[in-house]
Amino acid sequence: MKDLNLPEPIAAYFDADHQGAQAVARCFTRDGRVLDEGKTHAGLAAIEAWKADASARYTYTATPHAWEKQGRSCTVTCHVSGNFPGSPVDLRYTFTLERGKIATLEIVP
C-alpha cells in the first residue's frame, strides 16, 4: 500500500481498518457517511457500529492495489479476501474527502 502513495486520509482509513471500529470512525467527518452492502450509515456512531458489526461477522483483509482521482473523489480498488460469501473479490472504495477527513465512502463490487 505504501507504494500507491494514497492521500493521507485514505491511507489512514486502511491503517485504521486493522485497529477497530473507533479508529475507523475517527477517519470521518462528524457527519460522514458510509454506503456498504446497500445500506447507508450516517454519523460517527453509525460508522463505528457498521465497522464493529462487519468485524464481528467477517474476518477479512483488504489490500489496495490501484487508485484514481476523479474530481473531488478518489476510487481505490482493493483485493478483499476473508470468510464472507463471494470471497475473494475486488471492491471499489470511493472516497470523498473534506478538510483532511473522509466525508463519504461507498464500497461496491
Side-chain angles (χ1 to χ4, degrees):
M1 181 171 80
K2 301 283 185 226
D3 55 352
L4 283 182
N5 200 24
L6 293 170
E8 178 54 37
I10 296 173
Y13 169 84
F14 286 110
D15 287 341
D17 196 33
H18 303 291
Q19 300 168 21
Q22 287 183 335
V24 167
R26 282 194 297 269
C27 296
F28 287 81
T29 61
R30 198 169 339 134
D31 56 350
R33 286 179 294 126
V34 173
L35 176 61
D36 184 34
E37 298 182 287
K39 296 184 182 117
T40 300
H41 311 275
L44 296 179
I47 290 169
E48 186 174 334
W50 157 76
K51 174 59 182 164
D53 179 61
S55 294
R57 288 187 296 145
Y58 308 120
T59 301
Y60 67 91
T61 57
T63 307
H65 61 83
W67 77 279
E68 62 181 337
K69 187 168 172 47
Q70 304 132 328
R72 288 189 49 222
S73 65
C74 292
T75 300
V76 180
T77 304
C78 291
H79 187 71
V80 183
S81 61
N83 65 343
F84 57 89
S87 175
V89 64
D90 275 353
L91 296 178
R92 290 187 325 268
Y93 290 62
T94 301
F95 297 87
T96 303
L97 304 179
E98 208 172 85
R99 296 181 307 279
K101 297 263 188 179
I102 299 165
T104 64
L105 167 59
E106 181 178 9
I107 304 171
V108 296

